[in-house]
Amino acid sequence: MRKKERALEIIQRLKKEYPDAGCTLDYDHAWKLLVSVRLAAQCTDARVNVVVEDLYAKYPDVNALAEASPEEIEAIVKPCGLGKSKARDISACMKILRDEYGGKVPEDFDKLLKLPGVGRKSANLIMGDVFGKPAIVTDTHCIRLTNRMGLVDGIKEPKKVEMALWKIIPPEEGSDFCHRLVYHGREICTARTKPFCDKCCLADVCKKVGVK
């Protein structure tokens, strides 16, 4: 089975297994997703969702957060880890949104990449979830699972994984596919324990255990 054929089969099976899979970060505005995805680095989405409640209660919009000092932000987001650098990036990012984009998140991948603390993973998440554009979010689950499944060959660098997946994943499927990989990676194809291959809906097409 070629990679593209395997990819299409995996996409269809994961759709059936996780029909409602979506972003596990809570947000109702684009700027909030921008904040949350920065806080999620080396932190669980569940913890981020709790911490941002206090952040947004005190700073309810872009202008308010832009006016806050990095130290004030850090005092709230510290439980997410790396508080100083995350607070500094969030402060700088909100100031740019306020001063250059009228408080809005730019609908442009390259402009997103220029925002403090925003890398390709974050920019793709924003493009896919907020703007409905083609996106591939190469988080740890995506990298681990696509390697195990044989969709990429021993590639660990996020950008290289992303580029490899663009060649075999239909653009309109990329964003939801990556969300489903998160669910599957947490429930079945785990990192810290042996994968539950006996319970996996992909076992017969996964390169790790199935088709060689």
PDB file of all heavy atoms in Angstrom, residues 33 65 68 96 137 142 147:
ATOM      1  N   LEU A  33      -7.301  31.892  20.982  1.00  0.00           N
ATOM      2  CA  LEU A  33      -6.616  30.678  20.538  1.00  0.00           C
ATOM      3  C   LEU A  33      -5.120  30.956  20.390  1.00  0.00           C
ATOM      4  O   LEU A  33      -4.287  30.102  20.722  1.00  0.00           O
ATOM      5  CB  LEU A  33      -7.203  30.174  19.219  1.00  0.00           C
ATOM      6  CG  LEU A  33      -6.584  28.875  18.660  1.00  0.00           C
ATOM      7  CD1 LEU A  33      -6.663  27.747  19.678  1.00  0.00           C
ATOM      8  CD2 LEU A  33      -7.255  28.473  17.352  1.00  0.00           C
ATOM      9  N   LEU A  65      -5.294  43.117  27.377  1.00  0.00           N
ATOM     10  CA  LEU A  65      -4.122  42.258  27.533  1.00  0.00           C
ATOM     11  C   LEU A  65      -2.856  42.960  27.035  1.00  0.00           C
ATOM     12  O   LEU A  65      -1.772  42.778  27.583  1.00  0.00           O
ATOM     13  CB  LEU A  65      -4.351  40.945  26.784  1.00  0.00           C
ATOM     14  CG  LEU A  65      -3.484  39.734  27.175  1.00  0.00           C
ATOM     15  CD1 LEU A  65      -3.450  39.518  28.678  1.00  0.00           C
ATOM     16  CD2 LEU A  65      -3.989  38.477  26.465  1.00  0.00           C
ATOM     17  N   ALA A  68      -1.545  45.138  29.768  1.00  0.00           N
ATOM     18  CA  ALA A  68      -0.980  44.448  30.925  1.00  0.00           C
ATOM     19  C   ALA A  68       0.529  44.286  30.762  1.00  0.00           C
ATOM     20  O   ALA A  68       1.033  44.097  29.655  1.00  0.00           O
ATOM     21  CB  ALA A  68      -1.640  43.082  31.080  1.00  0.00           C
ATOM     22  N   ILE A  96       1.100  44.011  19.128  1.00  0.00           N
ATOM     23  CA  ILE A  96       1.139  44.041  17.663  1.00  0.00           C
ATOM     24  C   ILE A  96      -0.263  43.939  17.085  1.00  0.00           C
ATOM     25  O   ILE A  96      -0.626  44.665  16.147  1.00  0.00           O
ATOM     26  CB  ILE A  96       2.039  42.910  17.124  1.00  0.00           C
ATOM     27  CG1 ILE A  96       3.503  43.183  17.481  1.00  0.00           C
ATOM     28  CG2 ILE A  96       1.888  42.775  15.606  1.00  0.00           C
ATOM     29  CD1 ILE A  96       4.448  42.048  17.146  1.00  0.00           C
ATOM     30  N   VAL A 137      -1.082  20.537  11.372  1.00  0.00           N
ATOM     31  CA  VAL A 137      -0.507  20.913  12.660  1.00  0.00           C
ATOM     32  C   VAL A 137       0.389  19.769  13.152  1.00  0.00           C
ATOM     33  O   VAL A 137      -0.106  18.738  13.604  1.00  0.00           O
ATOM     34  CB  VAL A 137      -1.605  21.211  13.694  1.00  0.00           C
ATOM     35  CG1 VAL A 137      -0.993  21.630  15.027  1.00  0.00           C
ATOM     36  CG2 VAL A 137      -2.545  22.298  13.167  1.00  0.00           C
ATOM     37  N   CYS A 142       0.995  14.148  16.150  1.00  0.00           N
ATOM     38  CA  CYS A 142       1.086  14.024  14.691  1.00  0.00           C
ATOM     39  C   CYS A 142       2.417  13.405  14.281  1.00  0.00           C
ATOM     40  O   CYS A 142       2.454  12.469  13.468  1.00  0.00           O
ATOM     41  CB  CYS A 142       0.914  15.401  14.050  1.00  0.00           C
ATOM     42  SG  CYS A 142       1.127  15.408  12.255  1.00  0.00           S
ATOM     43  N   ASN A 147       4.748   8.745  11.893  1.00  0.00           N
ATOM     44  CA  ASN A 147       5.926   7.891  11.769  1.00  0.00           C
ATOM     45  C   ASN A 147       5.574   6.433  11.999  1.00  0.00           C
ATOM     46  O   ASN A 147       5.985   5.546  11.239  1.00  0.00           O
ATOM     47  CB  ASN A 147       7.019   8.341  12.743  1.00  0.00           C
ATOM     48  CG  ASN A 147       7.932   9.407  12.154  1.00  0.00           C
ATOM     49  OD1 ASN A 147       8.822   9.101  11.377  1.00  0.00           O
ATOM     50  ND2 ASN A 147       7.687  10.649  12.511  1.00  0.00           N
TER      51      ASN A 147
END
